[in-house]
Amino acid sequence: VQLQASGGGSVQPGGSLRLSCAASGSISSISAMGWYRQAPVNQRELVAQIGLGGRETYADSVKGRFTISRDNAKNTWYLQMNNLSPEDTAVYSCFADIKPYGNDRYQTTWGQGTLVTVSS
């Protein structure tokens, strides 16, 4: 099972970006999907998470600006980031709790990080 993240880049303050993460491999089920981020001087932060039933959780710092969504048919989830500020600059990593075929447990799987830079 692998996760492939995409969509990072550079944007000016107030701009938008959309991150995507796609899971591939022998996947029976995916429960939680989400994103962490880490800036050079900050601790890793859970940015957003969406459960199997669609329940969304956000860090206080991104509420009202970021939206997480999922496409179960494609094993893909998205993070729409609006009104970005320099404080959002970080490496964003996607994760998911995945149950592979032949396994009765969910395992947390990580994708590679994608850099988001917000600067004028």
Side-chain angles (χ1 to χ4, degrees):
V1 175
Q2 292 184 332
L3 305 187
Q4 180 67 49
S6 61
S10 296
V11 65
Q12 293 185 341
S16 299
L17 284 173
R18 190 174 85 150
L19 305 182
S20 300
C21 190
S24 62
S26 182
I27 298 171
S28 173
S29 176
I30 303 177
S31 57
M33 298 171 168
W35 298 87
Y36 275 85
R37 69 183 179 185
Q38 184 158 21
V41 296
N42 295 337
Q43 291 184 333
R44 190 175 67 171
E45 176 185 33
L46 177 62
V47 178
Q49 177 174 302
I50 184 167
L52 183 59
R55 180 179 180 182
E56 301 167 29
T57 304
Y58 297 95
D60 288 342
S61 57
V62 307
K63 283 180 181 177
R65 300 187 298 122
F66 290 12
T67 302
I68 190 169
S69 60
R70 61 190 287 167
D71 184 336
N72 293 325
K74 296 180 179 180
N75 287 336
T76 300
W77 55 109
Y78 309 93
L79 185 67
Q80 178 66 43
M81 304 185 294
N82 298 329
N83 192 22
L84 285 160
S85 71
E87 289 70 33
D88 296 313
T89 296
V91 174
Y92 287 71
S93 299
C94 61
F95 73 92
D97 293 334
I98 297 174
K99 184 165 65 175
Y101 281 112
N103 195 316
D104 62 355
R105 293 183 179 181
Y106 286 92
Q107 301 168 347
T108 301
T109 303
W110 292 88
Q112 88 285 5
T114 185
L115 179 62
V116 171
T117 303
V118 185
S119 171
S120 56

